[in-house]
Amino acid sequence: LKKVKQIGFTDVVVDVKSIMGEVLYKSKIAPYMGEWEGRYRSEDYDMLKIFIDEGHKLGLKVHASLNIFAGGHNFFNRGVIYKMHPEWQSLVYWEGKLMPIGQMKWNYNGMMNPANPEVQKYQLSILKECATKYKNLDGIILDRMRFDNITSDFSPLSQKLFEEYSGMKVENFPDDILYWVDKDGKKSWKLGKHFNKWAEWRAMVIKRFMEATHKELRKINPKLIIGDYTG
């Protein structure tokens, strides 16, 4: 932190919730990440509090970063979508086949379905807990507050929610949204006739979640800076 200050930075961001959904502080909601590749950290070691206390001594603002709709590491078969809620993982339409994201071992990031109300409620409860636990935190940054990719989520739940939003019945799901073609042995996706409305619905899912998050976190700490990391 002293080096950061000397260089001229004004703010630091501390990652406290991994893509597996595990957190680096005592939580009554999320599982604790006490071990990684044979290295252990006691739950009594409050890393974020140390960063806040020492950062503030130096005049730095300290933000906590939490992965939101990520819930598993597919290279390690570890995370919320493996142990707690496999039904929350994204259903991906990949090369013409529907598959749970946990089966895509070439994709390390086991994303959840952001449109699932249970997922949203769970993630918001963690954010509220973090803001309540660390009242002198300067900001919270939401990472991976998005759908996994253009190829997800194509679960029956997402179809139902989209049809309610759009007021239309998708006769050929998911191909009316997104479909795959095979050319010279190489598969690629194309946009279906309802894709534009689908993209609008997806954007609204994220927008509404952020609005709800903003409202709830402001109740806890009116001065809290609320950010979003988008790659």
Side-chain angles (χ1 to χ4, degrees), residues 68-135:
I68 306 303
F69 294 125
H73 199 314
N74 289 339
F75 291 176
F76 294 88
N77 296 333
R78 175 171 166 175
V80 173
I81 66 168
Y82 283 95
K83 287 187 176 181
M84 295 168 60
H85 293 285
E87 74 278 9
W88 285 357
Q89 64 184 302
S90 290
L91 191 64
V92 182
Y93 192 37
W94 184 255
E95 295 188 343
K97 296 179 182 178
L98 288 166
M99 64 175 67
I101 200 167
Q103 294 180 11
M104 300 174 70
K105 296 306 178 185
W106 60 92
N107 178 5
Y108 74 95
N109 191 12
M111 294 285 284
M112 299 178 176
N113 178 10
N116 188 326
E118 291 182 359
V119 170
Q120 292 190 14
K121 182 179 179 181
Y122 175 76
Q123 301 299 349
L124 182 54
S125 69
I126 293 171
L127 287 164
K128 289 167 63 178
E129 181 190 51
C130 184
T132 302
K133 184 178 177 70
Y134 299 99
K135 284 287 180 60

Side-chain angles (χ1 to χ4, degrees), residues 9 48 63 71 75 136 174 191 203:
F9 283 99
L48 183 55
H63 308 257
F75 291 176
N136 56 346
L191 303 182

Side-chain angles (χ1 to χ4, degrees), residues 144-207:
R144 290 187 171 87
M145 189 183 63
R146 56 174 175 82
F147 285 81
D148 172 63
N149 205 322
I150 198 170
T151 54
S152 72
D153 173 274
F154 287 100
S155 64
L157 174 60
S158 289
Q159 179 183 0
K160 175 179 176 289
L161 293 172
F162 170 68
E163 289 178 342
E164 289 175 356
Y165 173 82
S166 64
M168 66 174 73
K169 178 71 177 175
V170 183
E171 295 177 0
N172 189 17
F173 187 87
D175 286 5
D176 282 349
I177 309 295
L178 189 86
Y179 64 97
W180 287 83
V181 295
D182 193 335
K183 187 177 181 181
D184 300 326
K186 187 177 181 180
K187 293 182 179 180
S188 60
W189 52 259
K190 302 290 182 183
L191 303 182
K193 62 182 181 180
H194 295 318
F195 179 81
N196 285 355
K197 197 66 179 178
W198 175 263
E200 176 188 307
W201 167 72
R202 283 181 24 144
M204 289 301 294
V205 167
I206 302 303
K207 179 178 186 290

Side-chain angles (χ1 to χ4, degrees), residues 44-55:
D44 294 325
Y45 177 73
D46 197 339
M47 183 185 75
L48 183 55
K49 183 180 185 301
I50 293 171
F51 267 93
I52 294 169
D53 292 346
E54 297 302 319

Side-chain angles (χ1 to χ4, degrees), residues 63-64 66 68 139-143 145 210 213-214 217 224-230:
H63 308 257
L66 295 88
I68 306 303
I140 287 182
I141 296 175
L142 294 84
D143 196 357
M145 189 183 63
M210 186 53 159
T213 298
H214 192 277
L217 294 185
L224 192 69
I225 298 168
I226 303 168
D228 169 43
Y229 170 78
T230 305

